[in-house]
Amino acid sequence: MGRKRTANTKGKIISAAWRLFYEQGYEETTIDDIIAESGTSRGSFYHYFEGKDALLGSLSYLFDEKYTELEPKLSGFATCMEQLIFLNQELFGMIENSIAIELPAFFCGLAVNIIVSLATAPPSVEIVKEFESV
């Protein structure tokens, strides 16, 4: 139970931070804003993150949450390629609707490049096997 509570607290902080970065902008969002929005404490915030900049590395957490949300829907697609296209469309939508444009260009560019490479590269044998087992 301790691990679930830990992941939940960290997840609340990450989700609140990215929501605020999108709504207010990164520079305008304070640690106090994040703590208030997440309903956590200053101690919890600093337990997981050294500061606001450390949250920039947490984007993968949002992707993982989105993949978990989308996983049950994958069985409705006939091929692995259709599944990949669906996942990419959903992630692009998430990026457009919840990630602030004024974040450092390299960071947003990195996320987009990863998604684009997944969408355009021929699927590796490992990826195909993983999707076929779903």
Side-chain angles (χ1 to χ4, degrees), residues 77-93:
F77 297 94
T79 67
C80 295
M81 187 58 75
E82 289 174 351
Q83 290 175 340
L84 286 171
I85 291 169
F86 169 73
L87 289 172
N88 283 304
Q89 288 172 337
E90 292 294 315
L91 283 174
F92 275 120

Side-chain angles (χ1 to χ4, degrees), residues 57-113:
S58 68
L59 184 59
S60 63
Y61 179 88
L62 294 180
F63 284 2
D64 289 346
E65 277 189 332
K66 189 67 172 177
Y67 283 130
T68 301
E69 173 192 325
L70 297 172
E71 187 175 2
K73 298 176 183 177
L74 293 177
S75 62
F77 297 94
T79 67
C80 295
M81 187 58 75
E82 289 174 351
Q83 290 175 340
L84 286 171
I85 291 169
F86 169 73
L87 289 172
N88 283 304
Q89 288 172 337
E90 292 294 315
L91 283 174
F92 275 120
M94 182 188 85
I95 290 169
E96 286 178 11
N97 296 315
S98 64
I99 299 179
I101 293 170
E102 66 274 351
L103 286 175
F106 76 91
F107 189 71
C108 287
L110 175 64
V112 170
N113 286 338

Side-chain angles (χ1 to χ4, degrees), residues 22-34:
Y22 179 75
E23 293 170 358
Q24 300 176 180
Y26 178 79
E27 294 298 327
E28 299 300 317
T29 300
T30 66
I31 290 173
D32 288 335
D33 293 336
I34 296 167

Side-chain angles (χ1 to χ4, degrees), residues 5-38:
R5 186 182 348 240
T6 297
N8 191 33
T9 300
K10 185 176 183 180
K12 284 180 181 179
I13 294 168
I14 292 169
S15 296
W18 283 97
R19 189 169 41 255
L20 290 169
F21 293 163
Y22 179 75
E23 293 170 358
Q24 300 176 180
Y26 178 79
E27 294 298 327
E28 299 300 317
T29 300
T30 66
I31 290 173
D32 288 335
D33 293 336
I34 296 167
I35 292 166
E37 180 76 13
S38 66

